Amino acid sequence: MIKVSVMFPNTPGARFNHEYYRDRHMPLLKSRMGDRCKYYTVDKGLACGAPGTPAPYAAMCHIFCDSVDAFQAGFGPHAQEIEADIPKYSDLAPVIQISEVVVEKS
Amino acid sequence: MIKVSVMFPNTPGARFNHEYYRDRHMPLLKSRMGDRCKYYTVDKGLACGAPGTPAPYAAMCHIFCDSVDAFQAGFGPHAQEIEADIPKYSDLAPVIQISEVVVEKS
């Protein structure tokens, strides 16, 4: 299994609507990807490891799929629609990482 | 619930032993934190969003706890022992983020 992590750098002054992201954007992505998205998780950045320092990322989501091919098959045909929804909740450009899920849940 | 994400930047030439991390380091952390670590996940970086580009992070783990206080109570007393284990699998300095879990599993 793989996960696609979409991470929004926590840039001072940037905009991120966590409610829209949770209630509208991620359900849109899931509805378009269908079963090719097994499930997803959403995080809201609170802090860095050191006290009083900001979180590196304002928000992250992790999209779990059987394979990179499954992700591309599910996301690709809807990429334009899903990406066009980003300005509705943020002006940040995300960092994207594809990972192998080594331990799904200990 | 919160998650503590420990992310190892994918630096060229750096060392990261994924087997040790999965089989020794993370079980050590879990054994020391006990129930204050509800569970954890482990990722191995495969790629960036753009084809042919390296993953931003060589590896990540995400440690799930009821609260920041629970994490600190579980990790703090064992921080020295757990951090002393890092050189056994990597020479990378991790980026750490504490997040609120907005969606645990869709």
Side-chain angles (χ1 to χ4, degrees):
Chain A
M1 188 160 64
I2 63 105
K3 71 200 284 187
V4 177
S5 299
V6 183
M7 305 178 282
F8 293 86
N10 196 6
T11 309
R15 179 171 61 84
F16 198 93
N17 185 327
H18 291 278
E19 291 70 30
Y20 188 94
Y21 193 58
R22 177 193 63 203
D23 298 338
R24 305 284 296 275
H25 182 75
M26 291 306 297
L28 168 70
L29 178 141
K30 171 67 181 157
S31 75
R32 294 302 182 266
M33 290 190 65
D35 290 343
R36 286 175 170 135
C37 168
K38 294 166 72 79
Y39 62 93
Y40 63 81
T41 67
V42 175
D43 308 334
K44 177 181 180 176
L46 293 177
C48 185
T53 49
Y57 298 103
M60 299 194 227
C61 78
H62 307 276
I63 302 159
F64 292 74
C65 301
D66 279 328
S67 65
V68 175
D69 285 349
F71 173 77
Q72 289 170 337
F75 185 83
H78 307 286
Q80 199 171 359
E81 179 187 6
I82 295 168
E83 288 166 4
D85 194 55
I86 297 180
K88 295 184 185 168
Y89 63 87
S90 186
D91 51 6
L92 291 166
V95 173
I96 295 172
Q97 163 143 348
I98 301 172
S99 302
E100 176 189 334
V101 176
V102 174
V103 177
E104 183 180 7
K105 190 169 181 176
S106 65
Chain B
M1 189 161 60
I2 62 104
K3 73 200 286 186
V4 178
S5 299
V6 184
M7 304 177 280
F8 293 86
N10 195 7
T11 309
R15 179 170 61 83
F16 198 93
N17 184 328
H18 291 277
E19 291 71 30
Y20 188 95
Y21 193 59
R22 177 192 62 203
D23 298 339
R24 304 284 296 276
H25 182 75
M26 291 305 297
L28 168 70
L29 178 143
K30 170 67 181 158
S31 75
R32 293 301 182 270
M33 290 190 65
D35 290 343
R36 285 175 170 135
C37 168
K38 296 166 71 81
Y39 63 93
Y40 63 81
T41 66
V42 176
D43 308 334
K44 178 181 180 176
L46 293 178
C48 188
T53 49
Y57 298 103
M60 298 193 227
C61 78
H62 307 276
I63 303 160
F64 292 74
C65 302
D66 279 328
S67 64
V68 175
D69 285 349
F71 173 77
Q72 289 170 338
F75 185 83
H78 308 286
Q80 199 171 0
E81 179 188 6
I82 295 168
E83 288 167 4
D85 194 54
I86 296 179
K88 295 184 184 169
Y89 63 85
S90 186
D91 51 7
L92 290 166
V95 173
I96 295 173
Q97 165 144 346
I98 301 172
S99 302
E100 177 189 332
V101 176
V102 174
V103 177
E104 183 180 7
K105 189 169 181 174
S106 66

PDB file of all heavy atoms in Angstrom, chain B residues 6-27:
ATOM      1  N   VAL B   6       7.398  12.683  12.741  1.00  0.00           N
ATOM      2  CA  VAL B   6       8.857  12.787  12.743  1.00  0.00           C
ATOM      3  C   VAL B   6       9.296  12.504  11.310  1.00  0.00           C
ATOM      4  O   VAL B   6       9.076  11.404  10.786  1.00  0.00           O
ATOM      5  CB  VAL B   6       9.476  11.781  13.733  1.00  0.00           C
ATOM      6  CG1 VAL B   6      10.994  11.952  13.797  1.00  0.00           C
ATOM      7  CG2 VAL B   6       8.849  11.937  15.119  1.00  0.00           C
ATOM      8  N   MET B   7       9.875  13.525  10.651  1.00  0.00           N
ATOM      9  CA  MET B   7      10.119  13.467   9.207  1.00  0.00           C
ATOM     10  C   MET B   7      11.606  13.682   8.936  1.00  0.00           C
ATOM     11  O   MET B   7      12.180  14.691   9.321  1.00  0.00           O
ATOM     12  CB  MET B   7       9.283  14.561   8.531  1.00  0.00           C
ATOM     13  CG  MET B   7       7.785  14.447   8.873  1.00  0.00           C
ATOM     14  SD  MET B   7       6.734  15.765   8.160  1.00  0.00           S
ATOM     15  CE  MET B   7       7.044  17.103   9.328  1.00  0.00           C
ATOM     16  N   PHE B   8      12.224  12.717   8.258  1.00  0.00           N
ATOM     17  CA  PHE B   8      13.662  12.753   8.007  1.00  0.00           C
ATOM     18  C   PHE B   8      13.916  13.275   6.595  1.00  0.00           C
ATOM     19  O   PHE B   8      13.634  12.571   5.605  1.00  0.00           O
ATOM     20  CB  PHE B   8      14.247  11.347   8.168  1.00  0.00           C
ATOM     21  CG  PHE B   8      14.205  10.838   9.582  1.00  0.00           C
ATOM     22  CD1 PHE B   8      13.081  10.194  10.082  1.00  0.00           C
ATOM     23  CD2 PHE B   8      15.289  11.026  10.438  1.00  0.00           C
ATOM     24  CE1 PHE B   8      13.024   9.742  11.392  1.00  0.00           C
ATOM     25  CE2 PHE B   8      15.239  10.584  11.752  1.00  0.00           C
ATOM     26  CZ  PHE B   8      14.116   9.933  12.228  1.00  0.00           C
ATOM     27  N   PRO B   9      14.456  14.508   6.460  1.00  0.00           N
ATOM     28  CA  PRO B   9      14.683  15.080   5.123  1.00  0.00           C
ATOM     29  C   PRO B   9      15.574  14.171   4.271  1.00  0.00           C
ATOM     30  O   PRO B   9      16.557  13.605   4.777  1.00  0.00           O
ATOM     31  CB  PRO B   9      15.387  16.408   5.424  1.00  0.00           C
ATOM     32  CG  PRO B   9      14.970  16.758   6.817  1.00  0.00           C
ATOM     33  CD  PRO B   9      14.849  15.437   7.526  1.00  0.00           C
ATOM     34  N   ASN B  10      15.192  14.031   3.027  1.00  0.00           N
ATOM     35  CA  ASN B  10      15.870  13.105   2.116  1.00  0.00           C
ATOM     36  C   ASN B  10      17.130  13.754   1.538  1.00  0.00           C
ATOM     37  O   ASN B  10      17.131  14.236   0.415  1.00  0.00           O
ATOM     38  CB  ASN B  10      14.886  12.732   0.997  1.00  0.00           C
ATOM     39  CG  ASN B  10      15.350  11.534   0.215  1.00  0.00           C
ATOM     40  OD1 ASN B  10      16.322  10.889   0.563  1.00  0.00           O
ATOM     41  ND2 ASN B  10      14.633  11.237  -0.850  1.00  0.00           N
ATOM     42  N   THR B  11      18.195  13.742   2.317  1.00  0.00           N
ATOM     43  CA  THR B  11      19.435  14.428   1.958  1.00  0.00           C
ATOM     44  C   THR B  11      20.348  13.474   1.178  1.00  0.00           C
ATOM     45  O   THR B  11      20.588  12.348   1.635  1.00  0.00           O
ATOM     46  CB  THR B  11      20.147  14.875   3.250  1.00  0.00           C
ATOM     47  OG1 THR B  11      19.205  15.579   4.063  1.00  0.00           O
ATOM     48  CG2 THR B  11      21.328  15.767   2.947  1.00  0.00           C
ATOM     49  N   PRO B  12      20.843  13.907   0.002  1.00  0.00           N
ATOM     50  CA  PRO B  12      21.703  13.007  -0.780  1.00  0.00           C
ATOM     51  C   PRO B  12      22.904  12.536   0.041  1.00  0.00           C
ATOM     52  O   PRO B  12      23.543  13.330   0.734  1.00  0.00           O
ATOM     53  CB  PRO B  12      22.160  13.885  -1.956  1.00  0.00           C
ATOM     54  CG  PRO B  12      21.102  14.941  -2.080  1.00  0.00           C
ATOM     55  CD  PRO B  12      20.624  15.193  -0.671  1.00  0.00           C
ATOM     56  N   GLY B  13      23.169  11.233  -0.027  1.00  0.00           N
ATOM     57  CA  GLY B  13      24.319  10.664   0.678  1.00  0.00           C
ATOM     58  C   GLY B  13      24.064  10.324   2.127  1.00  0.00           C
ATOM     59  O   GLY B  13      24.924   9.732   2.788  1.00  0.00           O
ATOM     60  N   ALA B  14      22.903  10.683   2.634  1.00  0.00           N
ATOM     61  CA  ALA B  14      22.615  10.399   4.043  1.00  0.00           C
ATOM     62  C   ALA B  14      22.242   8.926   4.211  1.00  0.00           C
ATOM     63  O   ALA B  14      21.940   8.221   3.254  1.00  0.00           O
ATOM     64  CB  ALA B  14      21.500  11.298   4.549  1.00  0.00           C
ATOM     65  N   ARG B  15      22.251   8.494   5.454  1.00  0.00           N
ATOM     66  CA  ARG B  15      22.059   7.081   5.806  1.00  0.00           C
ATOM     67  C   ARG B  15      20.710   6.930   6.488  1.00  0.00           C
ATOM     68  O   ARG B  15      20.360   7.726   7.369  1.00  0.00           O
ATOM     69  CB  ARG B  15      23.204   6.728   6.768  1.00  0.00           C
ATOM     70  CG  ARG B  15      23.256   5.336   7.309  1.00  0.00           C
ATOM     71  CD  ARG B  15      24.601   5.107   8.044  1.00  0.00           C
ATOM     72  NE  ARG B  15      24.791   6.017   9.183  1.00  0.00           N
ATOM     73  CZ  ARG B  15      24.288   5.814  10.398  1.00  0.00           C
ATOM     74  NH1 ARG B  15      23.568   4.751  10.658  1.00  0.00           N
ATOM     75  NH2 ARG B  15      24.511   6.689  11.375  1.00  0.00           N
ATOM     76  N   PHE B  16      19.951   5.909   6.073  1.00  0.00           N
ATOM     77  CA  PHE B  16      18.702   5.588   6.784  1.00  0.00           C
ATOM     78  C   PHE B  16      18.430   4.100   6.624  1.00  0.00           C
ATOM     79  O   PHE B  16      18.247   3.600   5.513  1.00  0.00           O
ATOM     80  CB  PHE B  16      17.507   6.403   6.268  1.00  0.00           C
ATOM     81  CG  PHE B  16      16.374   6.391   7.252  1.00  0.00           C
ATOM     82  CD1 PHE B  16      16.245   7.390   8.207  1.00  0.00           C
ATOM     83  CD2 PHE B  16      15.474   5.327   7.280  1.00  0.00           C
ATOM     84  CE1 PHE B  16      15.234   7.344   9.152  1.00  0.00           C
ATOM     85  CE2 PHE B  16      14.461   5.278   8.221  1.00  0.00           C
ATOM     86  CZ  PHE B  16      14.338   6.288   9.155  1.00  0.00           C
ATOM     87  N   ASN B  17      18.416   3.379   7.752  1.00  0.00           N
ATOM     88  CA  ASN B  17      18.174   1.934   7.755  1.00  0.00           C
ATOM     89  C   ASN B  17      16.693   1.688   8.067  1.00  0.00           C
ATOM     90  O   ASN B  17      16.288   1.722   9.227  1.00  0.00           O
ATOM     91  CB  ASN B  17      19.085   1.271   8.791  1.00  0.00           C
ATOM     92  CG  ASN B  17      18.961  -0.239   8.780  1.00  0.00           C
ATOM     93  OD1 ASN B  17      17.889  -0.777   8.491  1.00  0.00           O
ATOM     94  ND2 ASN B  17      20.051  -0.923   9.100  1.00  0.00           N
ATOM     95  N   HIS B  18      15.900   1.451   7.015  1.00  0.00           N
ATOM     96  CA  HIS B  18      14.447   1.309   7.183  1.00  0.00           C
ATOM     97  C   HIS B  18      14.083   0.065   7.998  1.00  0.00           C
ATOM     98  O   HIS B  18      13.087   0.066   8.715  1.00  0.00           O
ATOM     99  CB  HIS B  18      13.766   1.269   5.813  1.00  0.00           C
ATOM    100  CG  HIS B  18      13.822   2.579   5.086  1.00  0.00           C
ATOM    101  ND1 HIS B  18      12.937   3.606   5.319  1.00  0.00           N
ATOM    102  CD2 HIS B  18      14.687   3.043   4.143  1.00  0.00           C
ATOM    103  CE1 HIS B  18      13.236   4.636   4.539  1.00  0.00           C
ATOM    104  NE2 HIS B  18      14.289   4.322   3.816  1.00  0.00           N
ATOM    105  N   GLU B  19      14.882  -1.003   7.879  1.00  0.00           N
ATOM    106  CA  GLU B  19      14.581  -2.232   8.620  1.00  0.00           C
ATOM    107  C   GLU B  19      14.787  -2.003  10.123  1.00  0.00           C
ATOM    108  O   GLU B  19      13.956  -2.403  10.937  1.00  0.00           O
ATOM    109  CB  GLU B  19      15.467  -3.387   8.129  1.00  0.00           C
ATOM    110  CG  GLU B  19      15.139  -3.844   6.714  1.00  0.00           C
ATOM    111  CD  GLU B  19      15.540  -2.829   5.639  1.00  0.00           C
ATOM    112  OE1 GLU B  19      16.517  -2.082   5.832  1.00  0.00           O
ATOM    113  OE2 GLU B  19      14.825  -2.756   4.600  1.00  0.00           O
ATOM    114  N   TYR B  20      15.902  -1.381  10.466  1.00  0.00           N
ATOM    115  CA  TYR B  20      16.142  -1.098  11.884  1.00  0.00           C
ATOM    116  C   TYR B  20      15.051  -0.193  12.447  1.00  0.00           C
ATOM    117  O   TYR B  20      14.564  -0.401  13.556  1.00  0.00           O
ATOM    118  CB  TYR B  20      17.526  -0.454  12.075  1.00  0.00           C
ATOM    119  CG  TYR B  20      17.920  -0.304  13.531  1.00  0.00           C
ATOM    120  CD1 TYR B  20      18.709  -1.266  14.159  1.00  0.00           C
ATOM    121  CD2 TYR B  20      17.487   0.779  14.298  1.00  0.00           C
ATOM    122  CE1 TYR B  20      19.051  -1.152  15.498  1.00  0.00           C
ATOM    123  CE2 TYR B  20      17.815   0.909  15.629  1.00  0.00           C
ATOM    124  CZ  TYR B  20      18.605  -0.057  16.223  1.00  0.00           C
ATOM    125  OH  TYR B  20      18.939   0.061  17.556  1.00  0.00           O
ATOM    126  N   TYR B  21      14.669   0.785  11.665  1.00  0.00           N
ATOM    127  CA  TYR B  21      13.653   1.744  12.109  1.00  0.00           C
ATOM    128  C   TYR B  21      12.335   1.023  12.400  1.00  0.00           C
ATOM    129  O   TYR B  21      11.706   1.256  13.433  1.00  0.00           O
ATOM    130  CB  TYR B  21      13.455   2.786  11.010  1.00  0.00           C
ATOM    131  CG  TYR B  21      12.674   4.006  11.421  1.00  0.00           C
ATOM    132  CD1 TYR B  21      13.100   4.815  12.468  1.00  0.00           C
ATOM    133  CD2 TYR B  21      11.528   4.384  10.729  1.00  0.00           C
ATOM    134  CE1 TYR B  21      12.398   5.957  12.830  1.00  0.00           C
ATOM    135  CE2 TYR B  21      10.827   5.528  11.080  1.00  0.00           C
ATOM    136  CZ  TYR B  21      11.261   6.307  12.131  1.00  0.00           C
ATOM    137  OH  TYR B  21      10.557   7.434  12.475  1.00  0.00           O
ATOM    138  N   ARG B  22      11.944   0.144  11.487  1.00  0.00           N
ATOM    139  CA  ARG B  22      10.673  -0.601  11.620  1.00  0.00           C
ATOM    140  C   ARG B  22      10.752  -1.659  12.722  1.00  0.00           C
ATOM    141  O   ARG B  22       9.813  -1.819  13.508  1.00  0.00           O
ATOM    142  CB  ARG B  22      10.353  -1.287  10.283  1.00  0.00           C
ATOM    143  CG  ARG B  22       9.097  -2.147  10.298  1.00  0.00           C
ATOM    144  CD  ARG B  22       9.027  -3.009   9.044  1.00  0.00           C
ATOM    145  NE  ARG B  22      10.167  -3.929   8.995  1.00  0.00           N
ATOM    146  CZ  ARG B  22      10.649  -4.484   7.895  1.00  0.00           C
ATOM    147  NH1 ARG B  22      10.110  -4.246   6.724  1.00  0.00           N
ATOM    148  NH2 ARG B  22      11.689  -5.299   7.962  1.00  0.00           N
ATOM    149  N   ASP B  23      11.879  -2.384  12.765  1.00  0.00           N
ATOM    150  CA  ASP B  23      11.949  -3.576  13.627  1.00  0.00           C
ATOM    151  C   ASP B  23      12.494  -3.308  15.024  1.00  0.00           C
ATOM    152  O   ASP B  23      12.238  -4.097  15.939  1.00  0.00           O
ATOM    153  CB  ASP B  23      12.833  -4.645  12.969  1.00  0.00           C
ATOM    154  CG  ASP B  23      12.264  -5.121  11.643  1.00  0.00           C
ATOM    155  OD1 ASP B  23      11.048  -4.942  11.427  1.00  0.00           O
ATOM    156  OD2 ASP B  23      13.042  -5.655  10.826  1.00  0.00           O
ATOM    157  N   ARG B  24      13.257  -2.227  15.186  1.00  0.00           N
ATOM    158  CA  ARG B  24      13.897  -1.988  16.478  1.00  0.00           C
ATOM    159  C   ARG B  24      13.524  -0.635  17.084  1.00  0.00           C
ATOM    160  O   ARG B  24      13.114  -0.558  18.240  1.00  0.00           O
ATOM    161  CB  ARG B  24      15.435  -2.073  16.319  1.00  0.00           C
ATOM    162  CG  ARG B  24      15.933  -3.388  15.718  1.00  0.00           C
ATOM    163  CD  ARG B  24      15.897  -4.538  16.727  1.00  0.00           C
ATOM    164  NE  ARG B  24      16.811  -4.277  17.814  1.00  0.00           N
ATOM    165  CZ  ARG B  24      18.132  -4.542  17.780  1.00  0.00           C
ATOM    166  NH1 ARG B  24      18.679  -5.105  16.712  1.00  0.00           N
ATOM    167  NH2 ARG B  24      18.901  -4.275  18.811  1.00  0.00           N
ATOM    168  N   HIS B  25      13.708   0.424  16.284  1.00  0.00           N
ATOM    169  CA  HIS B  25      13.542   1.758  16.884  1.00  0.00           C
ATOM    170  C   HIS B  25      12.096   2.041  17.270  1.00  0.00           C
ATOM    171  O   HIS B  25      11.819   2.452  18.405  1.00  0.00           O
ATOM    172  CB  HIS B  25      14.049   2.847  15.935  1.00  0.00           C
ATOM    173  CG  HIS B  25      13.944   4.219  16.540  1.00  0.00           C
ATOM    174  ND1 HIS B  25      14.817   4.658  17.528  1.00  0.00           N
ATOM    175  CD2 HIS B  25      13.054   5.224  16.342  1.00  0.00           C
ATOM    176  CE1 HIS B  25      14.467   5.889  17.896  1.00  0.00           C
ATOM    177  NE2 HIS B  25      13.400   6.247  17.200  1.00  0.00           N
ATOM    178  N   MET B  26      11.178   1.842  16.343  1.00  0.00           N
ATOM    179  CA  MET B  26       9.778   2.192  16.655  1.00  0.00           C
ATOM    180  C   MET B  26       9.191   1.275  17.733  1.00  0.00           C
ATOM    181  O   MET B  26       8.476   1.760  18.626  1.00  0.00           O
ATOM    182  CB  MET B  26       8.935   2.216  15.381  1.00  0.00           C
ATOM    183  CG  MET B  26       9.283   3.380  14.442  1.00  0.00           C
ATOM    184  SD  MET B  26       9.211   5.034  15.223  1.00  0.00           S
ATOM    185  CE  MET B  26       7.463   5.118  15.671  1.00  0.00           C
ATOM    186  N   PRO B  27       9.491  -0.036  17.712  1.00  0.00           N
ATOM    187  CA  PRO B  27       9.041  -0.873  18.848  1.00  0.00           C
ATOM    188  C   PRO B  27       9.651  -0.424  20.183  1.00  0.00           C
ATOM    189  O   PRO B  27       8.979  -0.508  21.228  1.00  0.00           O
ATOM    190  CB  PRO B  27       9.514  -2.278  18.446  1.00  0.00           C
ATOM    191  CG  PRO B  27       9.496  -2.253  16.948  1.00  0.00           C
ATOM    192  CD  PRO B  27       9.979  -0.870  16.588  1.00  0.00           C
TER     193      PRO B  27
END
